[in-house]
Amino acid sequence: QMSNSSSLTEFLLLGFADTRELQLLHFSLFLGIYLAALLGNILIITAVACDHHLHTPMYFFLLNLSILDLSSISTTVPKSMVNSLWDTRAISYSGCAAQVFFFVFLISAEYSLLTIMAYDRFIAICRPLHYGTLMGSRACVKMAAAAWASGFLHALLHTANTFLIPLCQGNALGQFFCEVSQLLKLSCSDAYLREVGLLVVSACLGFGCFIFIVLSYVHIFTVVLRIPSEQGRHKAFSMCLPHLAVVSLFLSTDIFAYLKPPSISSPALDLVVAILYVVVPPTVNPLIYSMRNKELKDAL
């Protein structure tokens, strides 16, 4: 008797540890990281919202980034903490679907937003005279809305596609949150190829964004290196480097998670990599942005 996905009521997430001491350690570590991410992002959101000096396109996009970071870490980490605390691994079927939906939504929107932020830096440095017209407040709101909307559509497609696949390989997932690639491993028919096809299309779109970011920065650095004054160069670099650091962190962890060769794949490594791309960027981004940024420090 094959268990059909319609009879599945819950999934089992990967537990971090079997002994109570380690479960509590995992809970405390995740709690510390989560609170740090919460604090950092809330500080940035508050500073940008309350200080009228920061009502510029660059900080408007940073505000959106912080909201996305805050939401994405809240989608995965609290559930894992609660499970460790109550010594369980279960997540309900609808809870799992919600996690897949929100995680794909927020990560996709964040990637779109990082692409838009590269465009903003590009216009600011390479086309400064057109900056006011190209990056007016209405244009910025439209761009941000497009990033959120594309993430939403993306998530809708992936979630619907993944949860329509018949699952018959049990209900245990090899990850601490519900992830599309882990759910596909439970499928027992060729239906999962549809979702694989969709993932390939997403990867191509993502690659397009990546090329756009790279080209933007090639242009930016060519212009910056031609700036005669050292002070001007320094100002331009301090505007771009935080964004570049955030993009690199986001992409390197994501690419490693999904494109690492199966030969080096192991449950422990998959777990570490997942923590890297799920937990680290939302926690570190506020630090990266506020460390070198005088305006933001003053506002805080």
Side-chain angles (χ1 to χ4, degrees), residues 96-114:
C96 189
Q99 232 181 24
V100 167
F101 175 78
F102 282 109
F103 189 68
V104 176
F105 168 34
L106 297 159
I107 290 290
S108 310
E110 179 159 339
Y111 190 37
S112 303
L113 190 72
L114 289 171

Side-chain angles (χ1 to χ4, degrees), residues 129-137 139:
L129 300 176
H130 299 208
Y131 190 74
T133 45
L134 287 172
M135 303 300 289
S137 52

